[in-house]
């Protein structure tokens, strides 16, 4: 049996359901993100997100970039209203989240446990 979801996981799920932005710190960098897919990989909570603002160790290109986040490393996460960002480049299947629990795409090809 899986443990109860963390507070960060619950916040990310609320963001996906309400199409809300999240502002947080991850690996010491302020980030502005929209979570797109939420679930687990090897028992760890993970999310595929689109980062549209803030920084990272590798920098952030103009227009934003897809990021795979381990939720245990997310700090000071809060929801915020604002435009939804999901990028425009969807050429490859995602490999970030192995067990998909929630996907913002109502026609998700990943067979999420919970449909929107």
């Amino acid at each position: 049996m899986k443990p109860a979801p963390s507070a960060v996981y619950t916040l990310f799920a609320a963001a996906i359901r309400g199409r809300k932005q999240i502002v947080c710190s991850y690996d010491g960098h302020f980030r502005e993100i929209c979570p797109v897919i939420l679930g687990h990989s090897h028992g760890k909570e993970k999310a595929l997100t689109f980062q549209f603002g803030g920084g990272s160790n590798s920098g952030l290109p103009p227009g934003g970039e897809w990021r795979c986040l381990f939720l245990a490393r997310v700090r000071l996460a809060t929801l915020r209203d604002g435009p939804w960002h999901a990028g425009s480049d969807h050429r490859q299947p995602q490999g970030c989240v192995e067990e998909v629990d929630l996907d913002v795409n109502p026609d998700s090809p990943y067979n999420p446990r919970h449909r929107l």
Side-chain angles (χ1 to χ4, degrees), residues 18-102:
R19 288 198 178 230
K20 302 273 187 187
Q21 297 178 2
I22 292 178
V23 292
C24 63
S25 175
Y26 188 84
D27 288 348
H29 293 277
F30 170 76
R31 298 181 189 233
E32 297 172 286
I33 60 174
C34 290
V36 176
I37 293 177
L38 182 63
H40 297 81
S41 291
H42 303 290
K44 297 184 186 287
E45 296 175 336
K46 288 180 82 177
L48 178 63
T49 70
F50 189 80
Q51 183 178 345
F52 60 90
S56 75
N57 291 335
S58 60
L60 185 65
E65 188 167 64
W66 292 101
R67 304 286 187 182
C68 185
L69 306 182
F70 286 94
L71 298 190
R73 292 166 39 191
V74 172
R75 303 284 181 262
L76 306 170
T78 58
L79 295 178
R80 129 177 132 182
D81 291 326
W84 183 259
H85 300 271
S88 58
D89 189 6
H90 299 284
R91 294 189 186 137
Q92 297 180 9
Q94 70 89 19
C96 170
V97 180
E98 292 175 353
E99 297 173 35
V100 175
D101 294 332
L102 198 56

